[in-house]
Amino acid sequence: MKLFSCTGCGQRVFFENTQCTQCGAFLGFVPEQLELLAFEPVDDHAWRPLGQQGLTQLRYRPCSNYQHQSVCNWMLPADEPQDFCVACRLNRTIPDLSQPQNRGFWLSLESEKRRLIYSLLQLGLPLRPRSLDPNGLEFDFLQDIEPTFSETGRVLTGHAAGLITLNIAEADPVRREKMRHRMAEPYRTLLGHFRHESGHYYWDRLIRDSQWLFAFRECFGDERQDYATALETYYAQGACDDWQQQHVSAYASAHPWEDWAETWAHYLHILDTLETAGQFGLTLQASSSDIESVHLDQRFNPALEASFDARIQAWLPLSVALNSLNQSMGHPQAYPFVLAPAVIEKLRLVHQVIVAQSLPSFSEAFL
């Protein structure tokens, strides 16, 4: 994720911010530019960007979920006929706001969803809403009908034909942690869910019925094996003892579709963290011979870096440093995964598919 500065006064601001704490300017994220800009209202319908040479004549307005619900900070052109920004336009169902606790859950869901959308736009991936395109993407944020997690009342997080469903209980840190322990997962976050389920969506968009299908099967296995049976076997027996030699996570061993979705999610984890490290100008001087030194600066944009190897060579020592820093604070490892050579080759295929499918402009990706 980029680091941002208020374009009105230069104060450091962050992706989710809606107002600069120094100059008081309103902040809004402009997806066409992938920039967080400072604004001043011109009238009831338009805001003007501050401090951006050549943009001061442009007019924007806040997303309806920014202006009326306070769960978004994205902007759209003032003459745009839509009420919602490109991220909120992907929602089909939002949480039931008649229940007070759901607004906070929705805010958490939207915050992490926008991080996903940021990455997808940055990579130039197609991102049309399913309401306009039968092959598009859509989100349902639903809650369990019965709090007892009975099978009839439980909402399952998952993907089907472009619709990503998230159980809003995942936005409750206590319930999510209980589920993490129940499922014996070393890592379970809202952002991880979004990235994983988007992997299923893009398998349908980029791999199925494409020239990549043979390469996918060579690398990940044959997805034509029965999916329901494979999951039933995994939950009954768990992963094989040597799963780490071939898969990024235990769950990835359940079925080639899950292997792809987990690998896709980790690719996005790696890119976003590398971008953040580069924005801070992070330099790691290795103190042991088995860890390479790495220097990242603001010119290192992993989304634009053509070399997959350069990304992995930067990521491996960075992940060691992240884990060590976390443990020094008494926290679990930030990245509790081992990237075996076979996993790196799977990440390489994800990279190759994304590079081949990337669209050159925002309008082509979304419109």
Side-chain angles (χ1 to χ4, degrees):
M1 175 61 64
K2 285 182 181 179
L3 296 180
F4 302 99
S5 298
C6 174
T7 51
C9 69
Q11 170 79 3
R12 176 67 64 202
V13 293
F14 298 93
F15 184 61
E16 292 83 9
N17 289 163
T18 58
Q19 192 165 17
C20 176
T21 57
Q22 179 163 287
C23 71
F26 293 106
L27 301 174
F29 185 78
V30 179
E32 298 92 328
Q33 303 175 45
L34 294 178
E35 291 289 349
L36 187 67
L37 304 181
F39 290 89
E40 65 175 1
V42 176
D43 53 40
D44 292 340
H45 306 286
W47 291 7
R48 180 178 68 88
L50 298 175
Q52 288 284 293
Q53 187 174 2
L55 296 181
T56 55
Q57 300 305 312
L58 297 179
R59 296 293 182 267
Y60 294 87
R61 57 186 171 85
C63 172
S64 182
N65 282 338
Y66 184 171
Q67 194 166 21
H68 302 296
Q69 301 292 350
S70 300
V71 296
C72 180
N73 68 340
W74 284 29
M75 307 294 289
L76 57 162
D79 59 358
E80 170 66 56
Q82 297 280 348
D83 292 329
F84 298 101
C85 70
V86 296
C88 292
R89 213 174 299 170
L90 300 173
N91 292 346
R92 188 178 78 161
T93 307
I94 66 170
D96 178 5
L97 299 182
S98 68
Q99 300 186 35
Q101 76 277 10
N102 284 355
R103 182 171 293 278
F105 293 160
W106 187 28
L107 176 61
S108 297
L109 289 163
E110 289 294 342
S111 178
E112 299 308 301
K113 188 193 78 179
R114 288 196 302 276
R115 284 184 173 264
L116 168 68
I117 303 305
Y118 168 89
S119 295
L120 300 180
L121 290 173
Q122 189 181 45
L123 291 169
L125 290 167
L127 198 59
R128 286 176 60 82
R130 203 169 69 146
S131 59
L132 300 177
D133 182 345
N135 296 316
L137 181 62
E138 208 163 37
F139 293 90
D140 274 354
F141 299 141
L142 305 176
Q143 67 186 108
D144 295 322
I145 298 173
E146 302 173 24
T148 57
F149 290 101
S150 68
E151 291 303 317
T152 56
R154 184 181 173 192
V155 172
L156 297 179
T157 292
H159 165 267
L163 176 63
I164 292 176
T165 300
L166 259 76
N167 188 326
I168 67 170
E170 293 289 344
D172 182 337
V174 174
R175 296 179 69 180
R176 186 173 65 247
E177 183 64 11
K178 288 180 179 178
M179 184 62 72
R180 188 182 72 81
H181 281 284
R182 177 183 173 187
M183 304 296 289
E185 296 176 339
Y187 174 91
R188 189 183 184 95
T189 67
L190 274 179
L191 185 54
H193 281 310
F194 277 113
R195 287 172 172 166
H196 174 97
E197 300 306 336
S198 76
H200 286 299
Y201 169 69
Y202 282 104
W203 190 91
D204 286 349
R205 288 295 305 266
L206 306 180
I207 302 297
R208 187 185 64 188
D209 302 324
S210 79
Q211 73 273 18
W212 292 104
L213 190 55
F214 177 79
F216 168 83
R217 289 173 178 167
E218 286 286 300
C219 194
F220 288 88
D222 192 338
E223 83 291 349
R224 290 171 293 187
Q225 62 181 280
D226 188 83
Y227 179 68
T229 301
L231 288 188
E232 183 179 345
T233 301
Y234 171 77
Y235 285 122
Q237 302 177 8
C240 58
D241 292 338
D242 63 346
W243 64 264
Q244 286 185 313
Q245 301 303 312
Q246 299 294 327
H247 306 283
V248 73
S249 69
Y251 186 57
S253 69
H255 187 275
W257 281 339
E258 297 302 340
D259 197 3
W260 167 269
E262 285 286 90
T263 306
W264 174 279
H266 279 255
Y267 184 82
L268 297 183
H269 293 337
I270 290 169
L271 258 62
D272 200 25
T273 308
L274 282 174
E275 182 178 34
T276 304
Q279 291 287 291
F280 279 102
L282 191 63
T283 295
L284 300 174
Q285 189 65 43
S287 58
S288 60
S289 59
D290 62 333
I291 301 176
E292 294 186 21
S293 300
V294 62
H295 172 68
L296 299 170
D297 60 32
Q298 292 186 349
R299 293 172 296 178
F300 183 82
N301 184 339
L304 302 178
E305 172 60 55
S307 169
F308 171 80
D309 290 329
R311 302 180 193 196
I312 290 299
Q313 289 167 8
W315 173 248
L316 294 178
L318 177 59
S319 64
V320 172
L322 287 173
N323 287 339
S324 299
L325 289 168
N326 249 33
Q327 290 174 307
S328 295
M329 291 292 293
H331 294 296
Q333 292 184 349
Y335 189 75
F337 303 95
V338 176
L339 299 183
V343 175
I344 291 176
E345 290 310 304
K346 291 176 179 180
L347 287 164
R348 187 187 303 276
L349 182 59
V350 171
H351 168 78
Q352 291 170 342
V353 170
I354 289 175
V355 169
Q357 299 295 324
S358 292
L359 298 170
S361 70
F362 171 84
S363 60
E364 287 182 293
F366 195 85
L367 304 175

